[in-house]
Amino acid sequence: MEITKTIDDTRQQITNLRSGGKKIALVPTMGALHKGHITLIQLAKQHADHVVVSIFVNPEQFAPNEDYNTYPRELEEDLEKCRREGVSLVFAPAREAVYDDEKFLSIKVSSLNGHMCGGSRPGFFEGVLLIVNKLFNIIQPDLAVFGQKDIQQFQIIRAMVQEFNHSIELMLAPIERANDGLALSSRNAYLKSDERVIAPGLYRALTYVEKQINDGVHTPKLMLEHQKSELEAKGFRIDYLNVFSRKTLQPVTVLKENTQYIIAGAVWLGNTRLIDNILIDL
Ligand code: PAF
């Protein structure tokens, strides 16, 4: 497995990997790799000759009050995990290797950004698109794999790929969960033991809403209010819990047949923000 730190070295390695028309898949990550990331790598491997993993805690997607400095960094362990999965190249740059001190351009996200995580983390998706656009240009993969846990991120990156004409196929990997249902996340490491016990409550709330919708309740307002109160009673602080259109990422009040929705929530337990979602096709 090759490990690169600079854009030039990465481009050189990619040229080598691509020789003979080999197909390249990219799995962008911020490291602290867990089973969810391994699923992304394995899915990438099924569809390409070489898997490239990027490991970069992207400062541009953290607000000043967020956890950029404390975000888990475990490069040696991550490299070992990548080796075990047969990854061909890890691109793990320092901040200076990808960002200049001065920036004259930025990417703006329009209405896809107004709700869900975009609503509560201003600038977050602009930061994500900035780095993903760079990674797509540096690595020029044939396909890129992202996790469903960050479904809004996936939909916004899909819009970027379409509107900026990147010739890259995008794949969505399902959410990996602990046995009790908690969606795997690098941030779960922040949970105190008592918070970890109640954390799966978010997924249970989402599955309750899913069942109600599948049983024919197509106006979700009341059951969402009820689930929010239940979560609050257990000690969660709610950022959002709602049903969104998968296409527009806007909240919906009445669900229609033949339409794709996302039941999604973001909550705080102490200082830890958890997100989760379920996709539903009516
Ligand atoms: O999903 C993530 O881990 C990050 O947002 C990504 C896509 C690697 C960009 O920094």
Side-chain angles (χ1 to χ4, degrees):
M1 185 176 83
E2 299 293 338
I3 301 160
T4 54
K5 303 264 175 203
T6 67
I7 294 176
D8 283 350
D9 283 352
T10 307
R11 288 207 161 116
Q12 187 53 56
Q13 291 295 340
I14 293 288
T15 307
N16 299 345
L17 292 178
R18 204 180 274 294
S19 71
K22 295 277 197 312
K23 200 170 166 184
I24 292 181
L26 170 66
V27 180
T29 81
M30 298 208 301
L33 303 181
H34 52 67
K35 221 168 124 225
H37 295 110
I38 303 300
T39 308
L40 305 186
I41 295 172
Q42 290 172 346
L43 184 65
K45 218 158 182 245
Q46 283 166 26
H47 292 91
D49 301 298
H50 290 292
V51 177
V52 177
V53 172
S54 62
I55 298 181
F56 180 62
V57 183
N58 173 32
E60 294 289 331
Q61 67 191 75
F62 289 80
N65 61 331
E66 290 184 341
D67 55 348
Y68 174 69
N69 288 325
T70 52
Y71 195 86
R73 288 162 171 86
E74 306 164 356
L75 187 60
E76 284 313 311
E77 290 94 320
D78 289 345
L79 292 176
E80 198 40 52
K81 287 174 191 166
C82 289
R83 245 179 232 116
R84 275 207 298 273
E85 292 306 318
V87 167
S88 301
L89 169 65
V90 173
F91 176 44
R95 178 194 185 131
E96 305 70 51
V98 277
Y99 288 120
D100 290 335
D101 287 341
E102 263 186 310
K103 282 207 293 306
F104 297 100
L105 301 172
S106 67
I107 301 178
K108 190 167 176 299
V109 185
S110 61
S111 59
L112 294 176
N113 211 2
H115 295 275
M116 303 174 77
C117 294
S120 38
R121 300 184 70 188
F124 171 69
F125 286 112
E126 279 81 4
V128 170
L129 289 192
L130 194 59
I131 191 66
V132 172
N133 197 44
K134 277 174 178 284
L135 291 169
F136 283 1
N137 284 326
I138 295 163
I139 293 157
Q140 302 192 1
D142 299 283
L143 70 106
V145 184
F146 295 87
Q148 184 201 316
K149 189 166 72 61
D150 300 296
I151 186 68
Q152 186 175 21
Q153 166 172 280
F154 181 79
Q155 298 294 108
I156 291 177
I157 291 171
R158 198 162 74 169
M160 180 184 78
V161 163
Q162 276 161 10
E163 290 175 30
F164 289 9
N165 306 100
H166 283 288
S167 170
I168 297 172
E169 183 189 347
L170 295 183
M171 283 192 165
L172 187 63
I175 299 177
E176 278 294 324
R177 299 184 180 281
N179 289 340
D180 58 9
L182 177 66
L184 297 191
S185 160
S186 306
R187 288 193 169 98
N188 292 351
Y190 301 154
L191 291 170
K192 300 201 181 100
S193 55
D194 54 329
E195 293 167 345
R196 176 63 190 80
V197 172
I198 59 170
L202 172 60
Y203 181 54
R204 279 200 287 277
L206 298 177
T207 49
Y208 176 85
V209 175
E210 179 190 32
K211 182 167 183 320
Q212 294 289 306
I213 292 174
N214 283 333
D215 287 350
V217 182
H218 286 181
T219 47
K221 186 168 186 276
L222 279 181
M223 64 176 153
L224 288 166
E225 309 259 290
H226 179 68
Q227 288 306 308
K228 281 192 217 173
S229 316
E230 299 250 301
L231 286 171
E232 276 165 356
K234 286 184 188 130
F236 292 89
R237 274 181 296 126
I238 313 287
D239 181 346
Y240 62 83
L241 183 75
N242 217 332
V243 181
F244 300 91
S245 151
R246 173 129 182 224
K247 187 167 170 217
T248 64
L249 302 182
Q250 302 298 309
V252 283
T253 43
V254 184
L255 281 71
K256 300 194 194 93
E257 296 295 328
N258 303 317
T259 313
Q260 296 181 312
Y261 296 101
I262 308 165
I263 309 163
V267 292
W268 288 92
L269 272 179
N271 293 325
T272 311
R273 187 170 182 275
L274 303 174
I275 59 170
D276 201 351
N277 69 78
I278 292 177
L279 304 180
I280 188 162
D281 275 16
L282 284 190

